[in-house]
Amino acid sequence: MSPVFHHAREGDAGPLGGVRVLDLSAYIAGPYGCTLLADQGAEVIKVEPPGGDNLRNYPSTLEAESRAFLGVNRSKRGVVLDLKRDEERAVLYRLLREADVLVHNFRPGVPERLGIGYATLSALHPRLVYCAVTGYGETGPLKDKAGYDQVLQTMTGMCAMQGKRGGPPELIYGSVVDYYAAALLAAGVSSALYERERSGQGQYVGVSLLRSALTMQSARMVWAQGEDHDISRDMRSGGVTGIHPTRDGFLYISANTPRFWRALCAKTGLDALADDPRLDSVRKRARHADEILPQLHRALQAHTALEWEEIFGEDVPCAAARQVEDMFEHPQVLAEGMIAEIGHPVLGSYRGIARPIRFGRTPGPEPFAAPTLGQHTGEIVDAAAGDEGADEAS
């Protein structure tokens, strides 16, 4: 069956060129999942309520815009529709006639009250890929609860694994569960579109923060037959691999393999440790961390973190601890073309992430700015009304 896609964006076509996505989601997981689809060429229309996506209200040093909203919603056009109003819900229905994908993160029951539940829309549009992002999934005692990144981090043991052993649980900042859920969304929707070209049918795609948080911990989520329930699932490999102080700044070092361990010892002048049979495996070094670390920390005081990066080179995996701001000018990031200058109607322009995935033959169009609230409402609503009139006339 040949593809029946529409609305290709201008510029180089990405692998999802011609796919239209209606993004009704808010915050991070759903919106950024749709942004990943836009990065790959899909035309994404962000549909917001009159008050806008609440991410627009997050703290930001940008007076006129939210940095978080800009970063999460690039390459979308934006409309405002109050889906509680019949006439504006009718506009969404018109947009759905030309859509391939709908994404939302409403709590269970809300889509049905708004007339956009899966049963309703799949009956009207059998080819529609319908993606719902939930906190806890579609079934079970928590299915009706709202889910949030750090709530799920805490619930699923991620926070208990952070920080110092024996210390209190610590959050992982940066919305890692949301962003991983966004990646699962983009993968799931893309797979459903691929399958649709064989079957001719759309389907429901469910992404939850609970599944995201546990999937991120798949290396820990193993409980073998006969094992105790409370065995250690700590993936950390001892005191050597980790972040250490230097003469100036902090340095992450990974020395898990025999090659890297011997190179670390040679570069820091700790050759005696390399030949010590008590330290010839990761497990043994973990047991003797209290003996190794003072010597390693004294040796690292000889140079700064950036100097150690140069000294270790390819021999010891490492990185100086940098601020995120440093990434805008990092030569590797620039060489990869990951930062784009993006025009914006209020800010003039800003620098932001471009393409997270590289495609050799279908690179995809250039990114453009996240929409201001309702920026494209007029043109999109008018176009939808025109399409309906043309269909009726034919």
Side-chain angles (χ1 to χ4, degrees), residues 11-44:
D12 294 328
L16 293 180
V19 172
R20 172 179 272 194
V21 179
L22 299 182
D23 175 15
L24 280 62
S25 61
Y27 293 101
I28 295 176
Y32 199 67
C34 293
T35 289
L36 294 175
L37 299 174
D39 289 337
Q40 297 174 69
E43 179 200 18
V44 179

PDB file of all heavy atoms in Angstrom, residues 11-44:
ATOM      1  N   GLY A  11      11.654  22.853   2.219  1.00  0.00           N
ATOM      2  CA  GLY A  11      13.030  22.457   2.472  1.00  0.00           C
ATOM      3  C   GLY A  11      13.219  20.976   2.239  1.00  0.00           C
ATOM      4  O   GLY A  11      12.366  20.294   1.680  1.00  0.00           O
ATOM      5  N   ASP A  12      14.378  20.482   2.674  1.00  0.00           N
ATOM      6  CA  ASP A  12      14.671  19.060   2.512  1.00  0.00           C
ATOM      7  C   ASP A  12      13.659  18.213   3.266  1.00  0.00           C
ATOM      8  O   ASP A  12      13.361  18.460   4.433  1.00  0.00           O
ATOM      9  CB  ASP A  12      16.081  18.753   3.043  1.00  0.00           C
ATOM     10  CG  ASP A  12      17.154  19.437   2.215  1.00  0.00           C
ATOM     11  OD1 ASP A  12      16.929  19.588   1.001  1.00  0.00           O
ATOM     12  OD2 ASP A  12      18.186  19.815   2.780  1.00  0.00           O
ATOM     13  N   ALA A  13      13.115  17.211   2.599  1.00  0.00           N
ATOM     14  CA  ALA A  13      12.126  16.345   3.241  1.00  0.00           C
ATOM     15  C   ALA A  13      12.817  15.405   4.218  1.00  0.00           C
ATOM     16  O   ALA A  13      13.830  14.792   3.906  1.00  0.00           O
ATOM     17  CB  ALA A  13      11.369  15.545   2.195  1.00  0.00           C
ATOM     18  N   GLY A  14      12.266  15.293   5.396  1.00  0.00           N
ATOM     19  CA  GLY A  14      12.750  14.313   6.347  1.00  0.00           C
ATOM     20  C   GLY A  14      12.037  12.992   6.128  1.00  0.00           C
ATOM     21  O   GLY A  14      11.128  12.883   5.297  1.00  0.00           O
ATOM     22  N   PRO A  15      12.417  11.961   6.858  1.00  0.00           N
ATOM     23  CA  PRO A  15      11.774  10.657   6.684  1.00  0.00           C
ATOM     24  C   PRO A  15      10.286  10.670   7.014  1.00  0.00           C
ATOM     25  O   PRO A  15       9.559   9.792   6.561  1.00  0.00           O
ATOM     26  CB  PRO A  15      12.552   9.742   7.636  1.00  0.00           C
ATOM     27  CG  PRO A  15      13.235  10.655   8.584  1.00  0.00           C
ATOM     28  CD  PRO A  15      13.506  11.912   7.846  1.00  0.00           C
ATOM     29  N   LEU A  16       9.829  11.663   7.785  1.00  0.00           N
ATOM     30  CA  LEU A  16       8.401  11.782   8.090  1.00  0.00           C
ATOM     31  C   LEU A  16       7.755  12.936   7.318  1.00  0.00           C
ATOM     32  O   LEU A  16       6.681  13.405   7.689  1.00  0.00           O
ATOM     33  CB  LEU A  16       8.183  11.973   9.595  1.00  0.00           C
ATOM     34  CG  LEU A  16       8.554  10.782  10.478  1.00  0.00           C
ATOM     35  CD1 LEU A  16       8.299  11.108  11.942  1.00  0.00           C
ATOM     36  CD2 LEU A  16       7.782   9.532  10.073  1.00  0.00           C
ATOM     37  N   GLY A  17       8.406  13.377   6.249  1.00  0.00           N
ATOM     38  CA  GLY A  17       7.837  14.438   5.427  1.00  0.00           C
ATOM     39  C   GLY A  17       6.461  14.040   4.909  1.00  0.00           C
ATOM     40  O   GLY A  17       6.262  12.937   4.414  1.00  0.00           O
ATOM     41  N   GLY A  18       5.483  14.944   5.020  1.00  0.00           N
ATOM     42  CA  GLY A  18       4.135  14.666   4.568  1.00  0.00           C
ATOM     43  C   GLY A  18       3.205  14.179   5.655  1.00  0.00           C
ATOM     44  O   GLY A  18       2.002  14.075   5.455  1.00  0.00           O
ATOM     45  N   VAL A  19       3.752  13.856   6.838  1.00  0.00           N
ATOM     46  CA  VAL A  19       2.925  13.430   7.970  1.00  0.00           C
ATOM     47  C   VAL A  19       2.442  14.665   8.725  1.00  0.00           C
ATOM     48  O   VAL A  19       3.233  15.561   9.021  1.00  0.00           O
ATOM     49  CB  VAL A  19       3.727  12.508   8.914  1.00  0.00           C
ATOM     50  CG1 VAL A  19       2.935  12.211  10.188  1.00  0.00           C
ATOM     51  CG2 VAL A  19       4.095  11.212   8.219  1.00  0.00           C
ATOM     52  N   ARG A  20       1.158  14.701   9.035  1.00  0.00           N
ATOM     53  CA  ARG A  20       0.628  15.808   9.838  1.00  0.00           C
ATOM     54  C   ARG A  20       0.280  15.290  11.225  1.00  0.00           C
ATOM     55  O   ARG A  20      -0.404  14.285  11.376  1.00  0.00           O
ATOM     56  CB  ARG A  20      -0.604  16.441   9.205  1.00  0.00           C
ATOM     57  CG  ARG A  20      -1.275  17.463  10.119  1.00  0.00           C
ATOM     58  CD  ARG A  20      -2.492  18.121   9.505  1.00  0.00           C
ATOM     59  NE  ARG A  20      -2.111  19.302   8.738  1.00  0.00           N
ATOM     60  CZ  ARG A  20      -2.991  20.220   8.309  1.00  0.00           C
ATOM     61  NH1 ARG A  20      -4.294  20.061   8.525  1.00  0.00           N
ATOM     62  NH2 ARG A  20      -2.581  21.269   7.637  1.00  0.00           N
ATOM     63  N   VAL A  21       0.761  16.018  12.248  1.00  0.00           N
ATOM     64  CA  VAL A  21       0.565  15.659  13.653  1.00  0.00           C
ATOM     65  C   VAL A  21      -0.191  16.790  14.343  1.00  0.00           C
ATOM     66  O   VAL A  21       0.193  17.955  14.230  1.00  0.00           O
ATOM     67  CB  VAL A  21       1.915  15.436  14.367  1.00  0.00           C
ATOM     68  CG1 VAL A  21       1.705  15.096  15.841  1.00  0.00           C
ATOM     69  CG2 VAL A  21       2.726  14.349  13.668  1.00  0.00           C
ATOM     70  N   LEU A  22      -1.254  16.442  15.053  1.00  0.00           N
ATOM     71  CA  LEU A  22      -1.937  17.395  15.920  1.00  0.00           C
ATOM     72  C   LEU A  22      -1.476  17.143  17.343  1.00  0.00           C
ATOM     73  O   LEU A  22      -1.724  16.078  17.914  1.00  0.00           O
ATOM     74  CB  LEU A  22      -3.456  17.232  15.819  1.00  0.00           C
ATOM     75  CG  LEU A  22      -4.069  17.461  14.434  1.00  0.00           C
ATOM     76  CD1 LEU A  22      -5.583  17.326  14.502  1.00  0.00           C
ATOM     77  CD2 LEU A  22      -3.676  18.818  13.872  1.00  0.00           C
ATOM     78  N   ASP A  23      -0.794  18.131  17.916  1.00  0.00           N
ATOM     79  CA  ASP A  23      -0.217  18.000  19.251  1.00  0.00           C
ATOM     80  C   ASP A  23      -1.092  18.753  20.240  1.00  0.00           C
ATOM     81  O   ASP A  23      -1.052  19.977  20.317  1.00  0.00           O
ATOM     82  CB  ASP A  23       1.208  18.553  19.245  1.00  0.00           C
ATOM     83  CG  ASP A  23       1.837  18.571  20.635  1.00  0.00           C
ATOM     84  OD1 ASP A  23       1.292  17.912  21.541  1.00  0.00           O
ATOM     85  OD2 ASP A  23       2.877  19.241  20.807  1.00  0.00           O
ATOM     86  N   LEU A  24      -1.890  18.011  20.997  1.00  0.00           N
ATOM     87  CA  LEU A  24      -2.754  18.601  22.015  1.00  0.00           C
ATOM     88  C   LEU A  24      -2.136  18.510  23.403  1.00  0.00           C
ATOM     89  O   LEU A  24      -2.788  18.823  24.401  1.00  0.00           O
ATOM     90  CB  LEU A  24      -4.119  17.906  22.033  1.00  0.00           C
ATOM     91  CG  LEU A  24      -5.156  18.310  20.978  1.00  0.00           C
ATOM     92  CD1 LEU A  24      -4.695  18.019  19.568  1.00  0.00           C
ATOM     93  CD2 LEU A  24      -6.486  17.614  21.258  1.00  0.00           C
ATOM     94  N   SER A  25      -0.899  18.085  23.489  1.00  0.00           N
ATOM     95  CA  SER A  25      -0.285  17.817  24.791  1.00  0.00           C
ATOM     96  C   SER A  25       0.366  19.066  25.365  1.00  0.00           C
ATOM     97  O   SER A  25       0.563  20.074  24.683  1.00  0.00           O
ATOM     98  CB  SER A  25       0.746  16.694  24.660  1.00  0.00           C
ATOM     99  OG  SER A  25       1.787  17.053  23.771  1.00  0.00           O
ATOM    100  N   ALA A  26       0.717  18.966  26.655  1.00  0.00           N
ATOM    101  CA  ALA A  26       1.322  20.082  27.373  1.00  0.00           C
ATOM    102  C   ALA A  26       2.494  19.578  28.208  1.00  0.00           C
ATOM    103  O   ALA A  26       2.718  18.380  28.342  1.00  0.00           O
ATOM    104  CB  ALA A  26       0.287  20.767  28.264  1.00  0.00           C
ATOM    105  N   TYR A  27       3.230  20.508  28.778  1.00  0.00           N
ATOM    106  CA  TYR A  27       4.419  20.239  29.573  1.00  0.00           C
ATOM    107  C   TYR A  27       5.553  19.714  28.682  1.00  0.00           C
ATOM    108  O   TYR A  27       5.904  20.363  27.699  1.00  0.00           O
ATOM    109  CB  TYR A  27       4.114  19.310  30.751  1.00  0.00           C
ATOM    110  CG  TYR A  27       3.209  19.962  31.780  1.00  0.00           C
ATOM    111  CD1 TYR A  27       1.846  19.668  31.820  1.00  0.00           C
ATOM    112  CD2 TYR A  27       3.712  20.877  32.699  1.00  0.00           C
ATOM    113  CE1 TYR A  27       1.014  20.275  32.763  1.00  0.00           C
ATOM    114  CE2 TYR A  27       2.892  21.487  33.637  1.00  0.00           C
ATOM    115  CZ  TYR A  27       1.547  21.179  33.664  1.00  0.00           C
ATOM    116  OH  TYR A  27       0.729  21.784  34.574  1.00  0.00           O
ATOM    117  N   ILE A  28       6.132  18.539  28.962  1.00  0.00           N
ATOM    118  CA  ILE A  28       7.368  18.140  28.277  1.00  0.00           C
ATOM    119  C   ILE A  28       7.221  16.852  27.480  1.00  0.00           C
ATOM    120  O   ILE A  28       7.548  16.817  26.286  1.00  0.00           O
ATOM    121  CB  ILE A  28       8.535  18.005  29.280  1.00  0.00           C
ATOM    122  CG1 ILE A  28       8.869  19.365  29.886  1.00  0.00           C
ATOM    123  CG2 ILE A  28       9.780  17.418  28.598  1.00  0.00           C
ATOM    124  CD1 ILE A  28       9.947  19.320  30.956  1.00  0.00           C
ATOM    125  N   ALA A  29       6.764  15.773  28.091  1.00  0.00           N
ATOM    126  CA  ALA A  29       6.837  14.457  27.446  1.00  0.00           C
ATOM    127  C   ALA A  29       6.117  14.443  26.103  1.00  0.00           C
ATOM    128  O   ALA A  29       6.701  14.078  25.068  1.00  0.00           O
ATOM    129  CB  ALA A  29       6.276  13.382  28.376  1.00  0.00           C
ATOM    130  N   GLY A  30       4.839  14.810  26.082  1.00  0.00           N
ATOM    131  CA  GLY A  30       4.087  14.823  24.832  1.00  0.00           C
ATOM    132  C   GLY A  30       4.612  15.841  23.839  1.00  0.00           C
ATOM    133  O   GLY A  30       4.890  15.507  22.675  1.00  0.00           O
ATOM    134  N   PRO A  31       4.763  17.108  24.256  1.00  0.00           N
ATOM    135  CA  PRO A  31       5.263  18.116  23.314  1.00  0.00           C
ATOM    136  C   PRO A  31       6.627  17.801  22.728  1.00  0.00           C
ATOM    137  O   PRO A  31       6.852  17.987  21.535  1.00  0.00           O
ATOM    138  CB  PRO A  31       5.298  19.392  24.166  1.00  0.00           C
ATOM    139  CG  PRO A  31       4.207  19.187  25.160  1.00  0.00           C
ATOM    140  CD  PRO A  31       4.270  17.724  25.495  1.00  0.00           C
ATOM    141  N   TYR A  32       7.571  17.324  23.559  1.00  0.00           N
ATOM    142  CA  TYR A  32       8.889  17.066  22.985  1.00  0.00           C
ATOM    143  C   TYR A  32       8.877  15.833  22.100  1.00  0.00           C
ATOM    144  O   TYR A  32       9.626  15.764  21.111  1.00  0.00           O
ATOM    145  CB  TYR A  32       9.966  16.934  24.061  1.00  0.00           C
ATOM    146  CG  TYR A  32      11.343  17.128  23.468  1.00  0.00           C
ATOM    147  CD1 TYR A  32      11.722  18.377  22.976  1.00  0.00           C
ATOM    148  CD2 TYR A  32      12.239  16.081  23.351  1.00  0.00           C
ATOM    149  CE1 TYR A  32      12.966  18.572  22.398  1.00  0.00           C
ATOM    150  CE2 TYR A  32      13.487  16.266  22.778  1.00  0.00           C
ATOM    151  CZ  TYR A  32      13.849  17.508  22.296  1.00  0.00           C
ATOM    152  OH  TYR A  32      15.071  17.693  21.705  1.00  0.00           O
ATOM    153  N   GLY A  33       8.028  14.855  22.426  1.00  0.00           N
ATOM    154  CA  GLY A  33       7.868  13.736  21.504  1.00  0.00           C
ATOM    155  C   GLY A  33       7.414  14.214  20.140  1.00  0.00           C
ATOM    156  O   GLY A  33       7.903  13.742  19.099  1.00  0.00           O
ATOM    157  N   CYS A  34       6.483  15.171  20.109  1.00  0.00           N
ATOM    158  CA  CYS A  34       6.022  15.729  18.834  1.00  0.00           C
ATOM    159  C   CYS A  34       7.110  16.550  18.162  1.00  0.00           C
ATOM    160  O   CYS A  34       7.211  16.576  16.925  1.00  0.00           O
ATOM    161  CB  CYS A  34       4.764  16.565  19.056  1.00  0.00           C
ATOM    162  SG  CYS A  34       3.323  15.595  19.565  1.00  0.00           S
ATOM    163  N   THR A  35       7.935  17.220  18.954  1.00  0.00           N
ATOM    164  CA  THR A  35       9.060  17.954  18.375  1.00  0.00           C
ATOM    165  C   THR A  35      10.036  17.004  17.690  1.00  0.00           C
ATOM    166  O   THR A  35      10.572  17.313  16.614  1.00  0.00           O
ATOM    167  CB  THR A  35       9.778  18.764  19.467  1.00  0.00           C
ATOM    168  OG1 THR A  35       8.936  19.859  19.856  1.00  0.00           O
ATOM    169  CG2 THR A  35      11.109  19.312  18.985  1.00  0.00           C
ATOM    170  N   LEU A  36      10.278  15.840  18.287  1.00  0.00           N
ATOM    171  CA  LEU A  36      11.147  14.855  17.641  1.00  0.00           C
ATOM    172  C   LEU A  36      10.565  14.405  16.308  1.00  0.00           C
ATOM    173  O   LEU A  36      11.301  14.147  15.349  1.00  0.00           O
ATOM    174  CB  LEU A  36      11.359  13.659  18.566  1.00  0.00           C
ATOM    175  CG  LEU A  36      12.138  13.944  19.851  1.00  0.00           C
ATOM    176  CD1 LEU A  36      12.172  12.706  20.739  1.00  0.00           C
ATOM    177  CD2 LEU A  36      13.548  14.418  19.550  1.00  0.00           C
ATOM    178  N   LEU A  37       9.237  14.304  16.221  1.00  0.00           N
ATOM    179  CA  LEU A  37       8.597  13.986  14.944  1.00  0.00           C
ATOM    180  C   LEU A  37       8.785  15.140  13.958  1.00  0.00           C
ATOM    181  O   LEU A  37       9.034  14.917  12.766  1.00  0.00           O
ATOM    182  CB  LEU A  37       7.112  13.699  15.154  1.00  0.00           C
ATOM    183  CG  LEU A  37       6.775  12.508  16.069  1.00  0.00           C
ATOM    184  CD1 LEU A  37       5.275  12.441  16.310  1.00  0.00           C
ATOM    185  CD2 LEU A  37       7.284  11.202  15.470  1.00  0.00           C
ATOM    186  N   ALA A  38       8.670  16.377  14.450  1.00  0.00           N
ATOM    187  CA  ALA A  38       8.887  17.539  13.591  1.00  0.00           C
ATOM    188  C   ALA A  38      10.322  17.595  13.082  1.00  0.00           C
ATOM    189  O   ALA A  38      10.571  17.956  11.923  1.00  0.00           O
ATOM    190  CB  ALA A  38       8.544  18.825  14.355  1.00  0.00           C
ATOM    191  N   ASP A  39      11.277  17.250  13.937  1.00  0.00           N
ATOM    192  CA  ASP A  39      12.678  17.212  13.516  1.00  0.00           C
ATOM    193  C   ASP A  39      12.879  16.276  12.335  1.00  0.00           C
ATOM    194  O   ASP A  39      13.794  16.463  11.519  1.00  0.00           O
ATOM    195  CB  ASP A  39      13.568  16.748  14.667  1.00  0.00           C
ATOM    196  CG  ASP A  39      13.709  17.779  15.769  1.00  0.00           C
ATOM    197  OD1 ASP A  39      13.517  18.971  15.498  1.00  0.00           O
ATOM    198  OD2 ASP A  39      14.018  17.373  16.908  1.00  0.00           O
ATOM    199  N   GLN A  40      12.043  15.250  12.246  1.00  0.00           N
ATOM    200  CA  GLN A  40      12.165  14.264  11.179  1.00  0.00           C
ATOM    201  C   GLN A  40      11.255  14.580   9.992  1.00  0.00           C
ATOM    202  O   GLN A  40      11.066  13.738   9.116  1.00  0.00           O
ATOM    203  CB  GLN A  40      11.857  12.880  11.750  1.00  0.00           C
ATOM    204  CG  GLN A  40      12.856  12.461  12.818  1.00  0.00           C
ATOM    205  CD  GLN A  40      12.484  11.160  13.495  1.00  0.00           C
ATOM    206  OE1 GLN A  40      12.536  10.103  12.870  1.00  0.00           O
ATOM    207  NE2 GLN A  40      12.103  11.235  14.752  1.00  0.00           N
ATOM    208  N   GLY A  41      10.720  15.800   9.967  1.00  0.00           N
ATOM    209  CA  GLY A  41      10.002  16.252   8.788  1.00  0.00           C
ATOM    210  C   GLY A  41       8.512  16.358   8.911  1.00  0.00           C
ATOM    211  O   GLY A  41       7.855  16.876   8.000  1.00  0.00           O
ATOM    212  N   ALA A  42       7.919  15.856   9.993  1.00  0.00           N
ATOM    213  CA  ALA A  42       6.472  15.932  10.134  1.00  0.00           C
ATOM    214  C   ALA A  42       6.027  17.381  10.302  1.00  0.00           C
ATOM    215  O   ALA A  42       6.742  18.202  10.881  1.00  0.00           O
ATOM    216  CB  ALA A  42       6.000  15.101  11.326  1.00  0.00           C
ATOM    217  N   GLU A  43       4.830  17.675   9.795  1.00  0.00           N
ATOM    218  CA  GLU A  43       4.204  18.970  10.062  1.00  0.00           C
ATOM    219  C   GLU A  43       3.432  18.826  11.363  1.00  0.00           C
ATOM    220  O   GLU A  43       2.508  18.017  11.467  1.00  0.00           O
ATOM    221  CB  GLU A  43       3.237  19.358   8.946  1.00  0.00           C
ATOM    222  CG  GLU A  43       2.544  20.690   9.219  1.00  0.00           C
ATOM    223  CD  GLU A  43       1.264  20.862   8.415  1.00  0.00           C
ATOM    224  OE1 GLU A  43       0.726  19.859   7.910  1.00  0.00           O
ATOM    225  OE2 GLU A  43       0.793  22.001   8.321  1.00  0.00           O
ATOM    226  N   VAL A  44       3.822  19.597  12.371  1.00  0.00           N
ATOM    227  CA  VAL A  44       3.186  19.498  13.688  1.00  0.00           C
ATOM    228  C   VAL A  44       2.428  20.782  13.976  1.00  0.00           C
ATOM    229  O   VAL A  44       2.987  21.877  13.904  1.00  0.00           O
ATOM    230  CB  VAL A  44       4.222  19.238  14.794  1.00  0.00           C
ATOM    231  CG1 VAL A  44       3.532  19.163  16.165  1.00  0.00           C
ATOM    232  CG2 VAL A  44       4.989  17.939  14.524  1.00  0.00           C
TER     233      VAL A  44
END
